[in-house]
Amino acid sequence: MSNKSKDEKIKLTKYILSSISEIMSSVLEVNTEKENLLEFGSYLHRTTPALSELQVTENVPPSTTETLRSLAAKVDIAKELVEKCNSGAKSVPASELKIIIEQIEGVVNSIGQDIGTIPSNIFQKHKYAGTAIQSLAKEMQNAQFNTDVCSKNNMEGEQDLYQVQTSKEEFKTTDNNIGNGEMPRLKDFLKGMYYHGKNIPPSKTLNQLAEQIEPLYEAFFCPLTKKVMDDPVTIETGVTYERKAIKKWFENLINNSQDIVCPVTKQKLHSRVLSTNLALKTMITEWKERNEASRMRVAQTALSLASSASVILDAIRDLEDLCTKREHNKLKMHNFGVTKILTQFLEYDDRDVRCETSKALRCLAEDDRGKEIIAKTRAITAAVKMLSSDHLQEKHASLSLLLQLSKSELICRNIGATPGAILMLITMKYNERTDFVSAERAGETLKNMEKCQDNIKCMAENGLLEPLLNHIVDGDEEMQIEMVSYLGDLVLGNDMKNYVARRTSPILIKMIQCGNTFSRKAAFKALLRLSSHHSNGTTLIEAGVVPIMVDEIFIRKIYDEPVDSKEESAAVIANILESGADPRFIQVYKHGHTMASDYVIYNIVHMLRYSNTDELNKNLIRILLSLTKLPKPFAAIVSVMKETEASYNVIEFLNSKNEDLVINSGKLLIKLITHMGHTIAEALCKTREQPGSLIKKLETDQVTKKHAISVNLVAKLPHHNLTLNLALLHSGTIPIIINNIQNFQRSETRIGRHERHYIEGLVGILLRFTTTLYDHEILQMAKEQNLTTVFTELLVRKSGSDEVQRMSAIGLENLSSETVNLSKPAMEIRGSTKMTKFLPRVFSIGSRRESRVKQCPVHRGACSPSTTFCLLESNALGKLVRCLQHENVKVVEAALSAICTLLDEKVDVERSLEVLGEMELVEQVVGVLRKHKQDGIWQKAFWVIERFVVKKGEELYSDEQLSEVLQDAYQHGNSRSRQVAQNMLSHLKKSNLPRNFTAV
């Protein structure tokens, strides 16, 4: 054959193959005469193997070129006819459509005739190819198409077109129960797609149907197994068998001591040599490849149309079978777009379809190309959603898919980024008892996902800390820094705090001791987080953290390091001490120093005297606060504070903008008040903007801990310190205090812990002024602000705490003690109509102008709540008597002390007893004696009763409760109580004294 003829042959075969491919694509797009056109396309497709073989065959007779020219012309005609059907389906009448189908039938018959003229001997290497070509030629020559369907009216055609288009765009499912006889199976779909006039048994599978698409020859079958051979071998008689089958035949004959014969011819064999039938093996291999390619295209078409769940299931299962048969099939599926199409069925309505899709995608994801395609779709999101299914099989299938995908580091990130994925996997991992398979696969998936740092962090956030801890312990330096940095931000559960501290403490210490700045910064951050959990205190001490931190505070000096290790170290030590650890047993140095030693205390106080950051000062003070809980360290702190005058520095911190520093400084000063209160008070008065700023800054609606600590510091300083009281008075804080108290008393909102503590501080500040009423300015302020009325109202306010009531009673006692000195005869003040004021009055109780001056029966002069602080005129007496019924003994004692001021020798006791008797004070006091047994209460109560007994003994003679209380005190009280009881019983002239009664 000349070179010119060869070139023409190659050019013609390429053109024919290309045209057939175009026709196949057009056939899939046609929406009318689907059955006939698909059958037509099947015929053309089956010619492609022979044409491809013909293209590479060298020795071809000249007549073959003529045949190829004829085939090219007829394929062009076929292409035009298919295009007419595709473009004119809606407009071509049924009669013309019938003519087109008849013309296509003629083209198929004519192509069959042309193929039949191709000599069989040109396929020398594949002797069975010639047989296949001749069989196909005969079938095409006899092909007949069904033209009855062309008589349907146009309306029916339009309805069919709509149904086909809709099936391509979305999934259609009518019933989740597959195989109920109502839904079309894939074999029915293929029957309509590829066959006409053939009876396909109901048991036909997609594989069997594809075998009919690619002709299967009898020579392919083994006479023994009746199956297509994989390794055909020929024996002495010339018959070909499957190698394994014939070997087994020989072995059985030998074992039974029989002559070795050919299974087909029964001839006795003289040799058991097995010769590979290369020609047949090659033919079978090529047939299998074509068959599998046909099955793949059929399944892809079925998935594209998605006519029913049963069809989809059959297609997916066959694709899965193809994946397991040959690795090359996976590559084809990726290239043909099958893999991408499959991912859509993970969101299909039918559960079985979702399960089978997951299994098929798992096979396709075994190579990197498959993983890449799947990762670009919504498959991961759909698979994660399937994890929450109640159906065990669906859950297992989705887990298997995710496990396979997680083997790719890139896809691990995508899985971890899917909302809820890691949390569900962790939950399943720990549910071994209910579902061991899911737990195992979830664990493996999570293990694979550790390749991504973001996944490790997400696992830790959801409670799986092992990956994070393992990378901290065993990872390289860069990994350790990354993971430790994240540990510093992680919020740990109570059950994991101590475990994390035990695992990571040694590594964190090493990272701090190394010279790497980034390692040190990350380690400090993590240690600070771990130490903030009080349960970790002992663990960190045992790990040796404290000595390292002390070195960082006192010794290490690195000025160019971006992280302030002193701040972090002091915070870690403060956290450990606040956890409840005993500082006396926390070793600092090998020389014997502990956290409670004078050496540590001196150095900490010494550091406070120098310019440090607010954060460091705050943490140093926190350490000192923890040490004040023990007597010996507390005494050492007081000593060093006095010696170094560091209290001035701590007071300066009250002006800081760092709220925590102000709070801790206030707490420390409050602790020190009992030992150096006057020193602190004097220093406070000498400090810039103090003490007034502690109260002036409280003009806000929201009370914070800082506000409460500030006012309580002022309230707890020695009340008799006149310098401090005058400084407060001159700074104008009194109106602010009373106004804030008034606002809280009027407020209907619930009072919280800080608000309650704050009010107690405000009342405490007012109370301190009542101890220095000897000063003219303070006395004048008390009158102007009507403190008697302020304290009286605080006695009965439900919003007030017990402490507020106690301090109010004490304040009334102090004020009442001055009444006898302030009360003057009415004649001396008659005519006075107004008072000089230098401070604004907040409370307006009663009239400012008295038109008539009244004589106080108790104080023998003119009294008023504001000018003389009289308890009677202010109506405070009745409220104090009611306080005697209070549950809190401190409130009772304070109220009783205030009442006692009305029985002092300087007042008219007779008139006072009359007033108190009208209020049934004796009964109230007896109730106090029966309820409370404290010495302080008893002494005051007996003193009051003694006043009544001495002056009005006969009137109390019949009071049986009083007699019982006195006799009980005489029999069970201390010596003083016994003496008082004896005296009062003598006054009452009781005759039922014990016989052994003797005067003490």
Side-chain angles (χ1 to χ4, degrees):
M1 190 177 186
S2 64
N3 291 334
K4 184 177 181 180
S5 299
K6 287 182 181 180
D7 292 340
E8 185 179 4
K9 180 201 68 171
I10 294 173
K11 184 177 180 181
L12 286 171
T13 51
K14 284 185 177 180
Y15 176 77
I16 294 170
L17 290 172
S18 175
S19 298
I20 290 175
S21 178
E22 292 178 11
I23 292 172
M24 293 296 295
S25 299
S26 298
V27 165
L28 292 175
E29 297 296 328
V30 173
N31 296 317
T32 186
E33 290 301 316
K34 195 74 174 180
E35 184 176 347
N36 286 328
L37 292 177
L38 287 174
E39 185 177 356
F40 167 56
S42 174
Y43 282 127
L44 293 181
H45 173 66
R46 290 165 64 187
T47 63
T48 56
L51 292 171
S52 299
E53 185 65 27
L54 188 62
Q55 184 179 359
V56 297
T57 303
E58 294 292 336
N59 298 321
V60 177
S63 59
T64 304
T65 304
E66 292 297 329
T67 301
L68 291 174
R69 292 195 188 101
S70 176
L71 282 173
K74 292 169 183 177
V75 168
D76 288 338
I77 294 172
K79 187 190 301 184
E80 293 177 2
L81 293 173
V82 171
E83 289 177 356
K84 286 183 179 181
C85 293
N86 189 26
S87 61
K90 293 184 180 180
S91 58
V92 177
S95 58
E96 293 185 18
L97 193 59
K98 182 178 180 181
I99 294 174
I100 292 174
I101 297 301
E102 290 176 350
Q103 291 174 345
I104 289 176
E105 180 182 305
V107 171
V108 171
N109 297 151
S110 181
I111 291 175
Q113 292 175 2
D114 288 341
I115 291 176
T117 61
I118 298 176
S120 301
N121 59 2
I122 65 174
F123 303 104
Q124 297 176 355
K125 295 182 180 180
H126 309 291
K127 62 181 180 180
Y128 295 101
T131 305
I133 288 297
Q134 294 303 319
S135 175
L136 176 61
K138 187 181 294 185
E139 187 176 344
M140 293 179 71
Q141 290 172 22
N142 299 323
Q144 293 182 352
F145 292 88
N146 183 10
T147 57
D148 294 338
V149 295
C150 297
S151 61
K152 293 182 180 180
N153 56 43
N154 291 337
M155 183 179 297
E156 293 174 343
E158 291 177 0
Q159 183 177 0
D160 293 339
L161 174 62
Y162 171 77
Q163 291 176 350
V164 172
Q165 289 175 339
T166 304
S167 66
K168 289 183 179 180
E169 295 173 358
E170 61 181 0
F171 297 135
K172 289 185 178 182
T173 55
T174 58
D175 193 346
N176 287 335
N177 299 320
I178 299 173
N180 57 9
E182 298 178 359
M183 297 177 64
R185 305 291 300 183
L186 182 57
K187 56 180 176 289
D188 303 321
F189 168 79
L190 292 172
K191 178 179 177 180
M193 181 176 175
Y194 287 98
Y195 297 97
H196 173 67
K198 297 181 181 180
N199 294 322
I200 300 179
S203 60
K204 287 287 185 183
T205 65
L206 181 58
N207 188 12
Q208 292 170 323
L209 291 170
E211 288 171 0
Q212 295 192 32
I213 298 173
E214 293 296 329
L216 189 61
Y217 307 106
E218 186 176 355
F220 290 0
F221 290 91
C222 173
L224 292 175
T225 63
K226 308 302 181 184
K227 296 179 180 179
V228 177
M229 293 179 285
D230 293 319
D231 188 8
V233 292
T234 304
I235 63 174
E236 183 181 341
T237 59
V239 182
T240 302
Y241 301 92
E242 178 67 44
R243 183 183 294 273
K244 292 181 179 178
I246 193 61
K247 279 186 175 182
K248 188 174 181 180
W249 171 269
F250 290 162
E251 290 173 1
N252 290 337
L253 292 178
I254 294 173
N255 292 336
N256 296 327
S257 301
Q258 298 178 9
D259 293 336
I260 299 176
V261 297
C262 175
V264 176
T265 64
K266 304 302 180 183
Q267 295 179 9
K268 184 176 180 179
L269 300 177
H270 300 286
S271 172
R272 286 183 290 166
V273 175
L274 304 178
S275 302
T276 301
N277 192 332
L278 294 176
L280 182 58
K281 185 175 183 179
T282 302
M283 189 68 179
I284 292 174
T285 301
E286 292 176 353
W287 174 84
K288 285 182 178 180
E289 291 179 356
R290 292 195 304 274
N291 177 59
E292 290 171 0
S294 298
R295 290 167 60 188
M296 199 179 301
R297 282 189 289 270
V298 169
Q300 182 179 11
T301 304
L303 293 178
S304 299
L305 296 176
S307 59
S308 69
S310 56
V311 171
I312 296 169
L313 267 179
D314 286 347
I316 293 174
R317 285 168 180 162
D318 196 63
L319 288 173
E320 187 179 356
D321 180 63
L322 291 173
C323 288
T324 58
K325 284 183 179 296
R326 205 184 309 274
E327 287 294 322
H328 187 64
N329 287 338
K330 297 177 185 177
L331 180 60
K332 287 184 177 179
M333 291 184 193
H334 301 331
N335 295 334
F336 292 169
V338 174
T339 305
K340 185 175 181 179
I341 293 175
L342 269 176
T343 60
Q344 302 173 12
F345 291 91
L346 286 174
E347 299 178 292
Y348 198 75
D349 293 340
D350 187 86
R351 184 175 59 200
D352 292 335
V353 170
R354 295 196 300 269
C355 289
E356 291 300 324
T357 302
S358 298
K359 295 176 183 178
L361 287 174
R362 190 204 66 78
C363 294
L364 290 168
E366 290 178 353
D367 57 57
D368 294 337
R369 174 64 175 156
K371 290 185 178 72
E372 182 182 351
I373 294 173
I374 294 172
K376 292 179 180 179
T377 66
R378 288 178 45 83
I380 294 177
T381 302
V384 170
K385 184 178 179 181
M386 290 168 63
L387 293 178
S388 59
S389 173
D390 295 331
H391 190 246
L392 206 59
Q393 186 178 1
E394 181 178 7
K395 186 184 296 185
H396 290 173
S398 61
L399 272 172
S400 298
L401 173 58
L402 289 174
L403 175 59
Q404 188 64 45
L405 292 173
S406 67
K407 295 177 181 178
S408 167
E409 184 175 350
L410 179 62
I411 299 180
C412 279
R413 189 182 302 274
N414 295 345
I415 298 174
T418 304
I422 290 180
L423 178 59
M424 283 192 282
L425 289 172
I426 292 174
T427 303
M428 297 168 75
K429 171 183 170 66
Y430 289 108
N431 285 340
E432 294 184 10
R433 294 183 179 179
T434 57
D435 188 358
F436 176 78
V437 175
S438 295
E440 185 178 24
R441 292 178 185 174
E444 293 176 9
T445 304
L446 289 169
K447 186 67 177 176
N448 291 339
M449 292 174 65
E450 292 180 20
K451 301 169 187 174
C452 176
Q453 292 183 3
D454 291 338
N455 290 343
I456 296 175
K457 296 176 183 179
C458 188
M459 291 177 197
E461 288 176 355
N462 288 280
L464 183 60
L465 294 171
E466 284 302 322
L468 177 69
L469 300 180
N470 292 337
H471 282 76
I472 290 176
V473 175
D474 302 324
D476 55 28
E477 184 179 14
E478 183 179 354
M479 178 62 72
Q480 283 182 336
I481 294 174
E482 180 71 22
M483 295 295 103
V484 169
S485 296
Y486 179 68
L487 180 62
D489 296 324
L490 185 63
V491 178
L492 297 172
N494 291 328
D495 55 337
M496 295 300 295
K497 294 174 182 175
N498 196 252
Y499 174 70
V500 173
R502 287 199 309 271
R503 285 284 306 273
T504 59
S505 295
I507 302 299
L508 296 178
I509 291 175
K510 291 181 180 178
M511 293 176 68
I512 288 175
Q513 291 176 323
C514 77
N516 189 318
T517 300
F518 297 104
S519 294
R520 283 170 51 81
K521 182 178 180 180
F524 273 120
K525 184 179 180 182
L527 270 180
L528 190 57
R529 169 67 71 174
L530 292 176
S531 64
S532 65
H533 305 299
H534 288 174
S535 58
N536 290 337
T538 303
T539 302
L540 295 176
I541 293 171
E542 293 174 352
V545 169
V546 175
I548 305 299
M549 298 297 103
V550 171
D551 283 345
E552 293 287 335
I553 297 174
F554 297 152
I555 300 175
R556 188 179 181 95
K557 295 185 184 299
I558 301 180
Y559 298 103
D560 59 346
E561 191 175 49
V563 59
D564 194 335
S565 62
K566 293 184 182 295
E567 291 181 8
E568 308 288 345
S569 301
V572 171
I573 293 178
N575 288 341
I576 292 174
L577 291 176
E578 289 172 357
S579 70
D582 193 332
R584 296 173 298 181
F585 303 105
I586 302 177
Q587 199 76 19
V588 174
Y589 296 117
K590 297 179 180 179
H591 306 295
H593 290 304
T594 66
M595 279 303 302
S597 65
D598 293 347
Y599 167 79
V600 174
I601 293 172
Y602 178 84
N603 278 281
I604 292 175
V605 174
H606 183 72
M607 290 184 68
L608 290 175
R609 298 186 61 211
Y610 296 92
S611 178
N612 297 310
T613 63
D614 286 350
E615 196 67 22
L616 177 57
N617 289 330
K618 177 194 74 174
N619 294 322
L620 292 174
I621 290 177
R622 287 175 60 200
I623 296 173
L624 293 176
L625 274 172
S626 297
L627 295 176
T628 59
K629 297 176 182 178
L630 295 173
K632 187 176 179 181
F634 185 29
I637 292 172
V638 172
S639 176
V640 177
M641 282 284 186
K642 289 181 178 179
E643 178 185 343
T644 61
E645 296 185 348
S647 58
Y648 286 88
N649 300 96
V650 178
I651 292 173
E652 284 286 348
F653 297 156
L654 297 176
N655 294 325
S656 171
K657 295 181 180 180
N658 187 313
E659 187 168 337
D660 289 336
L661 177 58
V662 175
I663 291 172
N664 287 290
S665 299
K667 286 182 177 180
L668 180 60
L669 291 171
I670 290 173
K671 284 271 190 179
L672 297 172
I673 283 175
T674 55
H675 290 73
M676 47 189 300
H678 286 285
T679 302
I680 295 173
E682 297 296 330
L684 186 65
C685 293
K686 296 177 181 179
T687 303
R688 177 177 50 89
E689 298 182 1
Q690 298 297 351
S693 64
L694 291 175
I695 301 170
K696 285 184 176 179
K697 292 180 180 178
L698 300 178
E699 299 182 62
T700 175
D701 295 334
Q702 185 178 2
V703 175
T704 64
K705 189 175 183 179
K706 172 186 173 181
H707 297 147
I709 291 292
S710 298
V711 296
N712 274 274
L713 170 61
V714 178
K716 293 181 185 297
L717 287 168
H719 288 184
H720 294 279
N721 191 295
L722 182 60
T723 303
L724 177 59
N725 290 351
L726 288 174
L728 289 169
L729 179 64
H730 295 154
S731 63
T733 59
I734 308 304
I736 297 174
I737 293 173
I738 295 179
N739 185 62
N740 287 339
I741 293 175
Q742 185 181 32
N743 290 337
F744 275 105
Q745 296 296 73
R746 292 174 180 174
S747 175
E748 298 180 356
T749 58
R750 181 179 176 272
I751 294 180
R753 178 167 55 91
H754 294 323
E755 286 82 358
R756 183 176 293 105
H757 196 202
Y758 174 57
I759 295 175
E760 291 173 357
L762 294 178
V763 176
I765 294 174
L766 288 183
L767 175 60
R768 67 180 302 112
F769 290 106
T770 65
T771 63
T772 54
L773 292 172
Y774 55 83
D775 182 83
H776 174 72
E777 289 185 78
I778 294 177
L779 178 62
Q780 188 66 22
M781 178 275 297
K783 292 179 180 181
E784 291 293 327
Q785 299 299 330
N786 200 352
L787 293 187
T788 307
T789 302
V790 174
F791 287 129
T792 300
E793 290 188 353
L794 288 170
L795 278 177
V796 295
R797 292 290 186 179
K798 295 182 180 180
S799 60
S801 64
D802 291 354
E803 182 63 15
V804 169
Q805 289 181 295
R806 185 190 72 83
M807 289 188 293
S808 298
I810 294 174
L812 289 172
E813 177 191 0
N814 295 338
L815 292 170
S816 180
S817 298
E818 292 294 321
T819 304
V820 69
N821 300 324
L822 297 174
S823 180
K824 298 178 181 180
M827 293 181 63
E828 295 183 16
I829 63 171
R830 195 179 303 275
S832 176
T833 59
K834 62 180 180 179
M835 303 172 65
T836 304
K837 302 178 182 180
F838 70 94
L839 288 173
R841 183 185 180 110
V842 176
F843 281 94
S844 297
I845 307 296
S847 174
R848 293 173 180 255
R849 182 177 300 176
E850 299 180 7
S851 60
R852 186 177 181 183
V853 180
K854 296 182 180 179
Q855 182 80 15
C856 177
V858 176
H859 299 106
R860 305 186 188 96
C863 287
S864 70
S866 59
T867 59
T868 65
F869 318 130
C870 180
L871 297 182
L872 272 67
E873 293 297 326
S874 64
N875 297 321
L877 182 58
K879 297 178 176 65
L880 287 170
V881 172
R882 283 194 291 273
C883 284
L884 297 179
Q885 301 175 3
H886 205 285
E887 295 295 327
N888 190 322
V889 65
K890 293 182 179 181
V891 176
V892 175
E893 185 175 359
L896 198 57
S897 298
I899 293 171
C900 288
T901 60
L902 296 178
L903 296 174
D904 189 80
E905 294 294 342
K906 296 180 181 180
V907 303
D908 189 337
V909 178
E910 291 287 345
R911 299 296 302 275
S912 182
L913 288 174
E914 291 178 4
V915 174
L916 295 173
E918 292 175 359
M919 296 184 177
E920 300 180 348
L921 180 64
V922 174
E923 289 80 355
Q924 297 289 342
V925 174
V926 170
V928 170
L929 290 172
R930 295 171 66 90
K931 187 175 183 179
H932 304 288
K933 304 298 181 182
Q934 289 79 1
D935 289 341
I937 287 282
W938 274 40
Q939 290 178 17
K940 288 183 174 61
F942 280 142
W943 187 83
V944 172
I945 293 175
E946 186 177 20
R947 288 291 203 208
F948 274 91
V949 169
V950 171
K951 299 292 183 180
K952 298 178 178 291
E954 295 180 358
E955 297 179 13
L956 301 176
Y957 183 85
S958 60
D959 194 331
E960 295 182 359
Q961 290 187 354
L962 176 59
S963 299
E964 290 177 4
V965 169
L966 292 175
Q967 291 186 51
D968 181 66
Y970 177 76
Q971 293 175 0
H972 303 100
N974 56 29
S975 59
R976 179 177 176 80
S977 299
R978 287 168 59 86
Q979 181 66 54
V980 174
Q982 178 185 350
N983 294 338
M984 284 189 286
L985 286 171
S986 299
H987 278 287
L988 291 173
K989 299 179 181 181
K990 281 291 184 180
S991 60
N992 57 349
L993 291 176
R995 294 180 179 179
N996 59 350
F997 175 82
T998 57
V1000 178

